[in-house]
Amino acid sequence: DPELRIMAIGTRSGAVKIYGAPGVEFTGLHRDAATVTQMHFLPGQGRLLTLLDDSSLHLWEIVHHNGCAHLEEALSFQLPSRPGFDGASLTRITVVLLMAAGNTAALGTEGGSIYFLDVTTLALLERQTLSPDEVLRSVPDDYRCGKALGPVESLQGHLRDPTKILIGFSRGLLVIWNQAAQCVDHVFLGNQQLESLCWGRNSGTIISSHSDGSYAIWPVDTGGSPTLQPSVATIPYGPFPCKAINKILWRNCESGGHFIIFSGGMPRASYGDRHCVSVLRAETLVTLDFTSRIIDFFTVHKFDDPQALAVLLEEELVVLDLQTPGWPSVPAPYLAPLHSSAITCSAHVANVPAKLWARIVSAGEQQSPHWPITGGRNLAQEPSQRGLLLTGHEDGTVRFWDASGVALRPLYKLSTAGLFQTDCEHTDSLGQAAEDDWPPFRKVGCFDPYSDDPRLGVQKVALCKYTAQMVVAGTAGQVLVLELSDVPTEQAVSVASIDLLQDREGFTWKGHERLNPRTGPLPWPAGFQPRVLVQCLPPAAVTAVTLHAEWSLVAFGTSHGFGLFDYQRKSPVCTLHPNDSLAMEGPLSRVKSLKKSLRQSFRRIRKSRVSGKKRVWSGLEMWRMGDDQCQMTPVQRRIEPRSADDSLSGVVRCLYFADTFLRDAAHHGPTMWAGTNSGSVFAYALEVPAAVAGGEKRPERAVEAVLGKEVQLMHRAPVVAIAVLDGRGRPLPEPYEASRDLAQAPDMQGGHAVLIASEEQFKVFTLPKVSAKTKFKLTAHEGCRVRKVALATFASVACEDYAETCLACLTNLGDVHVFSVPGLRPQVQYSCIRKEDISGIASCVFTRHGQGFYLISPSEFERFSLSARNITEPLCSLDISWPRDATRARYVGRQPLAGWVKMRPRSHATGSGLRRKLGEWTGPYRKSRVCFMYSASSS
């Protein structure tokens, strides 16, 4: 919309998304999941007319409630089909034109007829239909006797006379129809199949594009006689056969001259598979070469001068600055292609310190022209804390996104590929040579579905926000420790190898080879720069990683075991293979005296619960819940034990560092915990030299690790998360949080406990005895499995200072559960993701404040909130000149789009702030529908 300076995007799934300035966002969804094929703004009115592939029309409007704007569907319309066998296909709408007056629309159809519609009521105007027979009366007999005119391909309003319409038929015939006089003013006899039309300068010329890769310029004959031939017919990429020019635009410049912009037209044999938009001004021709299919494009004007070119592709949105020499790309503040390389992992970092935030922004800062789409006002308050979303990609990059507000804003990109010798580097020179050929191709956009080497894929990332150190682990067993630097450097990277199998006899690795690192000093730009590369052997994909910057330790696991590495001394500490039956009897046998096998403990615990004490405890628990929540305990299903011979039993699923009590109840110290796919948990007691007073680094003494405990869950369900709770039942703070007074110090006086979450149940064990305290078996449905788990803080809406820590989990059925900690009492359960959406469930990541992200398509994250206090939603307004109140009464049968309504919050309960979807209770779970990138199926 040139007046409101907003743009709309329609998707294949029937979604309508409107964007303006950053933070200005509206989303609507058609009731039927049909593809949006066309959209037309009523300029300045905040109304939008959409056409779906089922030939239905829908009128949307932006309305204001309580100062904020929302998108609602007002009316819908279906063109009635004519009687007959093929009546439905003949009345299928092919093109829509909003007349200059703004209250009438012309509808071109498959059968060649044009209908006129009252936009305010979406009702047909009687006795104004233009049939192809009326048009044929104005053409010569020899042209009339040929084939039929075909569907209406294009409708264009006259730039100077609002009563005239330029009509283009598929056969190639162009006519200017005078709606007031009900007659044809001009006829242009074309014989090439028509693709698109546009007006030239001041309606003095018409530009048409055709299926043979040509465009023609027709002078408008004011005398009224038909023009048999265009004055200029050009095949830009001829003379060999070319593909069709699908759309063409002519844009005049105030300084003189004009732009001709068109898509397609490439030589069919040589470049028929290229997705190109060509920009021609005077003698300058640039062929923009994209990596995905072109959906549509338009120009943004400033005082009738083309300011920018926006190109919507199937996989991204690209905007070019036409005012700057060279026509550079403009980095988008939203709709950035998350999946420029396929997303392989993601992580969220909450409460990022201001200093680190500024350094990351500085490292990724790009000098760019101003974003041209600036409509509306963002009413949302400045976020109280900064949140980072990290995404790892198949090409070895990690991208940092500002997830503090509604839109994901790209901040910085880290690439790890430069450290390694990849397989496809020799193709770079060949690709560069091809760029110099004709046509003058210019690669545009950042969507690149191909990876130089799949071994570069990032599997796990971890970031310490207080020391600006991070770990990036990949598909070929590479573990990189990086540190943020504000200046470019040139340095060598230390390389260390850790054999997780310890040269086990009889084992042969049949997977991919390890990546070969480059040797010698390497240049690194400002940003995160690698310090140490740890290579796991065999080079299997890393399945878990964790970082403790205060101890300078990094732990990592693969399907063959896990290792601990001291990156300050650049030396390994220990390794263990979980499937090794001699793990507790070989070199580590000296630690067996610390604790007997937990299998015997589990048997004793089960026997003790056979007595009547269990029934008394259950009744007491129900009494404590209160009369309003008193209900029968759900029947817990029987969990079948898994086989110990599973080939995936050695996969390390989670790793965790904690300062807690492992040896005895009097002395606490550093520990490392590892959980495997077979339900085993290994706990190591670490001897970490204490840091010098006032210093950040500890002495250069070796770290020692002693295996202290081994827990084997009886049902051998994979362990997905481990967390140690302090004496108050709260999770331990992150490294440096307590020592720098950034968080409340943990309670080291009361007894600690460890929470172990498996795919089938949650258990709390006391420390250091490791005796079972509380457990909960998942009872949702048969076959239910835990997929993601996180400890989240839920703040009360009613009381500013009250908060609870709860356990949030996502199951393979797409349900979200919230449990109290450490009691493990179920609080709420809601449907979040469709159970068929396996990739969405696998990509889900929880935040520390009760929100979450998951991929609803390969290119789009959706944010949801479990918290009534922490909600991220678009709050914006739009200045609309249309007198809505006068017209609203004429709308009949309107039904507003289902939205979310905030209900009165309860007191300090975790599930406070109930919300409901219109007509359907849903509880505190709130699916915000904040989308950061349009779906890959955009239309």
Side-chain angles (χ1 to χ4, degrees):
D1 185 337
E3 295 186 27
L4 296 179
R5 299 187 73 81
I6 55 178
M7 70 172 176
I9 293 175
T11 73
R12 188 174 296 161
S13 60
V16 176
K17 303 179 183 182
I18 297 178
Y19 298 93
V24 177
E25 177 181 323
F26 309 95
T27 302
L29 189 65
H30 291 90
R31 291 176 179 83
D32 298 326
T35 300
V36 182
T37 58
Q38 291 185 41
M39 296 186 296
H40 302 273
F41 273 113
L42 280 68
Q45 299 183 15
R47 294 193 293 170
L48 180 73
L49 193 64
T50 61
L51 173 65
L52 305 185
D53 62 354
D54 62 2
S55 201
S56 63
L57 284 169
H58 302 261
L59 182 64
W60 298 81
E61 60 178 1
I62 297 174
V63 297
H64 286 75
H65 297 300
N66 300 324
C68 291
H70 308 274
L71 183 64
E72 295 183 358
E73 183 179 349
L75 295 171
S76 62
F77 169 80
Q78 186 81 42
L79 193 65
S81 60
R82 293 188 297 182
F85 179 77
D86 58 350
S89 61
L90 292 177
T91 56
R92 188 180 70 86
I93 300 174
T94 56
V95 64
V96 177
L97 169 67
L98 288 175
M99 309 286 282
N103 57 359
T104 305
L107 312 177
T109 63
E110 188 83 26
S113 298
I114 299 174
Y115 299 85
F116 293 89
L117 190 73
D118 183 358
V119 175
T120 58
T121 60
L122 289 195
L124 280 177
L125 299 177
E126 298 294 335
R127 295 184 296 275
Q128 293 195 27
T129 302
L130 174 61
S131 67
D133 294 336
E134 294 183 62
V135 175
L136 285 172
R137 296 193 192 105
S138 303
V139 302
D141 293 339
D142 56 346
Y143 193 91
R144 190 186 312 168
C145 295
K147 60 182 179 180
L149 297 180
V152 179
E153 287 291 340
S154 182
L155 292 173
Q156 300 290 327
H158 200 281
L159 300 182
R160 291 178 295 183
D161 190 344
T163 64
K164 295 182 179 180
I165 306 173
L166 173 61
I167 305 171
F169 294 92
S170 177
R171 179 179 171 182
L173 176 69
L174 315 180
V175 299
I176 296 179
W177 172 258
N178 191 325
Q179 178 69 359
Q182 292 289 299
C183 66
V184 172
D185 279 0
H186 304 284
V187 177
F188 308 91
L189 304 179
N191 291 309
Q192 282 293 338
Q193 181 176 326
L194 182 69
E195 295 291 331
S196 72
L197 283 176
C198 70
W199 287 104
R201 183 178 296 274
N202 297 324
S203 297
T205 54
I206 297 169
I207 296 89
S208 61
S209 68
H210 304 276
S211 60
D212 63 346
S214 68
Y215 68 86
I217 301 177
W218 308 77
V220 177
D221 182 14
T222 56
S225 59
T227 303
L228 300 179
Q229 295 294 334
S231 60
V232 179
T234 306
I235 302 180
Y237 296 107
F240 298 106
C242 295
K243 300 196 75 174
I245 295 180
N246 302 307
K247 181 177 179 178
I248 191 166
L249 294 179
W250 177 295
R251 293 292 183 256
N252 299 318
C253 303
E254 286 187 340
S255 58
H258 59 267
F259 283 97
I260 296 180
I261 306 170
F262 60 89
S263 60
M266 289 291 102
R268 187 176 294 274
S270 304
Y271 306 111
D273 58 343
R274 297 285 186 103
H275 310 288
C276 296
V277 171
S278 301
V279 183
L280 174 64
R281 182 177 183 186
E283 301 301 321
T284 304
L285 172 64
V286 173
T287 308
L288 307 174
D289 190 11
F290 301 100
T291 54
S292 60
R293 187 169 61 93
I294 297 162
I295 304 297
D296 201 0
F297 60 92
F298 63 85
T299 55
V300 181
H301 297 266
K302 187 175 184 180
F303 306 116
D304 296 328
D305 205 26
Q307 181 184 8
L309 171 66
V311 184
L312 178 67
L313 307 165
E314 195 169 49
E315 304 291 352
E316 62 182 318
L317 176 76
V318 176
V319 175
L320 277 76
D321 179 18
L322 298 180
Q323 299 286 316
T324 304
W327 304 332
S329 297
V330 182
Y334 48 72
L335 291 180
L338 295 165
H339 65 316
S340 50
S341 175
I343 297 175
T344 49
C345 69
S346 58
H348 185 269
V349 183
N351 300 328
V352 179
K355 184 177 180 181
L356 174 62
W357 187 269
R359 294 178 67 191
I360 293 175
V361 171
S362 175
E365 205 161 34
Q366 303 180 37
Q367 298 298 326
S368 63
H370 190 65
W371 182 247
I373 300 165
T374 57
R377 295 194 310 275
N378 182 12
L379 304 179
Q381 296 181 351
E382 191 69 19
S384 58
Q385 57 92 18
R386 296 290 185 180
L388 273 177
L389 184 66
L390 310 180
T391 56
H393 298 264
E394 193 179 33
D395 61 355
T397 60
V398 178
R399 286 171 166 81
F400 291 63
W401 306 88
D402 178 3
S404 311
V406 170
L408 268 190
R409 183 169 64 94
L411 295 179
Y412 165 69
K413 182 178 78 170
L414 160 69
S415 178
T416 63
L419 180 60
F420 303 101
Q421 301 175 16
T422 57
D423 293 342
C424 303
E425 291 172 352
H426 62 279
T427 61
D428 294 343
S429 58
L430 298 177
Q432 187 62 40
E435 297 287 334
D436 300 331
D437 295 341
W438 192 90
F441 287 118
R442 174 180 152 195
K443 286 286 185 183
V444 183
C446 56
F447 174 73
D448 185 6
Y450 305 105
S451 174
D452 285 348
D453 195 324
R455 296 176 296 173
L456 291 169
V458 177
Q459 295 297 321
K460 297 292 177 182
V461 293
L463 171 67
C464 176
K465 59 190 178 186
Y466 301 114
T467 60
Q469 295 176 342
M470 74 178 300
V471 176
V472 178
T475 304
Q478 69 272 28
V479 180
L480 266 169
V481 181
L482 306 100
E483 190 170 1
L484 184 60
S485 174
D486 299 326
V487 295
T489 59
E490 185 170 336
Q491 62 181 6
V493 179
S494 301
V495 180
S497 297
I498 291 185
D499 188 356
L500 299 180
L501 295 180
Q502 300 171 351
D503 298 325
R504 178 182 298 182
E505 296 181 1
F507 176 81
T508 303
W509 172 249
K510 298 180 181 179
H512 46 239
E513 296 297 323
R514 57 183 287 185
L515 283 164
N516 295 318
R518 300 178 189 270
T519 57
L522 299 173
W524 302 104
F528 282 93
Q529 300 170 351
R531 297 287 186 259
V532 184
L533 167 63
V534 184
Q535 178 63 55
C536 300
L537 296 176
V542 177
T543 56
V545 74
T546 188
L547 169 71
H548 202 296
E550 201 166 359
W551 302 336
S552 299
L553 295 176
V554 58
F556 42 85
T558 71
S559 56
H560 297 278
F562 56 87
L564 182 63
F565 189 82
D566 180 353
Y567 61 85
Q568 179 177 320
R569 299 184 71 249
K570 299 179 175 61
S571 63
V573 177
C574 69
T575 61
L576 179 67
H577 184 257
N579 275 353
D580 193 347
S581 59
L582 302 178
M584 297 294 290
E585 300 176 8
L588 298 173
S589 60
R590 64 182 183 275
V591 305
K592 288 196 68 177
S593 59
L594 292 176
K595 183 64 183 175
K596 294 181 180 180
S597 172
L598 263 277
R599 295 182 181 90
Q600 298 176 2
S601 301
F602 279 125
R603 296 189 186 103
R604 288 197 302 271
I605 293 169
R606 287 199 306 276
K607 289 178 181 178
S608 66
R609 290 187 176 179
V610 176
S611 64
K613 293 181 180 180
K614 181 177 180 181
R615 289 190 294 272
V616 175
W617 177 84
S618 298
L620 176 62
E621 188 66 20
M622 289 180 63
W623 175 80
R624 289 179 57 193
M625 288 172 64
D627 295 337
D628 59 332
Q629 296 183 13
C630 186
Q631 55 185 358
M632 294 299 293
T633 304
V635 179
Q636 297 182 352
R637 66 181 179 84
R638 179 180 178 86
I639 301 176
E640 297 296 333
R642 305 192 185 198
S643 170
D645 300 329
D646 188 356
S647 60
L648 298 177
S649 60
V651 176
V652 178
R653 293 289 294 269
C654 62
L655 293 160
Y656 178 70
F657 285 117
D659 184 356
T660 187
F661 302 90
L662 188 64
R663 295 179 183 272
D664 55 62
H667 303 90
H668 64 86
T671 63
M672 186 198 77
W673 301 71
T676 73
N677 221 46
S678 60
S680 299
V681 177
F682 299 89
Y684 279 80
L686 307 178
E687 292 291 341
V688 180
V692 181
E696 289 291 334
K697 290 190 175 182
R698 54 177 170 76
E700 288 286 339
R701 296 209 315 268
V703 176
E704 296 181 4
V706 178
L707 182 59
K709 298 287 190 297
E710 179 189 2
V711 179
Q712 177 61 59
L713 302 180
M714 291 302 296
H715 299 290
R716 299 185 177 274
V719 179
V720 296
I722 301 171
V724 171
L725 309 175
D726 68 3
R728 291 184 293 263
R730 299 175 180 174
L732 299 182
E734 295 182 19
Y736 284 112
E737 273 193 328
S739 61
R740 297 185 180 182
D741 295 327
L742 299 169
Q744 184 179 5
D747 181 4
M748 308 302 286
Q749 303 301 320
H752 282 200
V754 59
L755 169 64
I756 298 178
S758 73
E759 282 191 358
E760 296 183 346
Q761 62 185 0
F762 309 117
K763 274 194 174 183
V764 176
F765 300 90
T766 61
L767 290 176
K769 290 186 178 181
V770 196
S771 58
K773 182 180 179 182
T774 313
K775 73 173 180 179
F776 181 86
K777 296 180 182 178
L778 211 61
T779 60
H781 293 91
E782 185 67 29
C784 185
R785 296 287 187 272
V786 176
R787 287 292 177 254
K788 296 295 171 94
V789 164
L791 288 169
T793 301
F794 291 87
S796 171
V797 176
C799 183
E800 197 73 24
D801 300 327
Y802 184 84
E804 294 180 9
T805 299
C806 294
L807 178 71
C809 86
L810 174 73
T811 71
N812 63 333
L813 301 180
D815 297 331
V816 173
H817 301 251
V818 178
F819 299 89
S820 65
V821 173
L824 296 183
R825 291 190 299 273
Q827 301 295 305
V828 289
Q829 172 190 344
Y830 306 109
S831 297
C832 178
I833 309 173
R834 292 182 302 107
K835 63 181 180 181
E836 298 83 10
D837 188 2
I838 299 175
S839 62
I841 294 173
S843 64
C844 182
V845 55
F846 288 105
T847 74
R848 290 182 61 184
H849 300 292
Q851 295 190 351
F853 300 85
Y854 71 94
L855 288 169
I856 61 174
S857 76
S859 62
E860 186 175 25
F861 270 109
E862 182 159 282
R863 180 199 295 258
F864 62 89
S865 180
L866 299 169
S867 170
R869 177 83 168 271
N870 293 285
I871 301 169
T872 304
E873 59 184 343
L875 299 174
C876 50
S877 67
L878 204 61
D879 294 328
I880 299 173
S881 60
W882 174 50
R884 188 181 315 276
D885 295 336
T887 313
R888 230 176 142 81
R890 287 190 284 172
Y891 286 177
V892 290
R894 50 183 297 119
Q895 297 178 359
L897 185 71
W900 294 92
V901 179
K902 186 173 181 180
M903 304 300 291
R904 186 178 63 184
R906 295 192 305 229
S907 58
H908 301 327
T910 303
S912 62
L914 284 178
R915 285 167 167 72
R916 66 179 178 91
K917 200 171 181 179
L918 293 183
E920 175 189 357
W921 285 98
T922 61
Y925 165 71
R926 185 178 191 281
K927 200 170 183 180
S928 306
R929 286 285 175 191
V930 177
C931 299
F932 297 126
M933 175 62 196
Y934 54 89
S935 169
S937 58
S938 297
S939 300

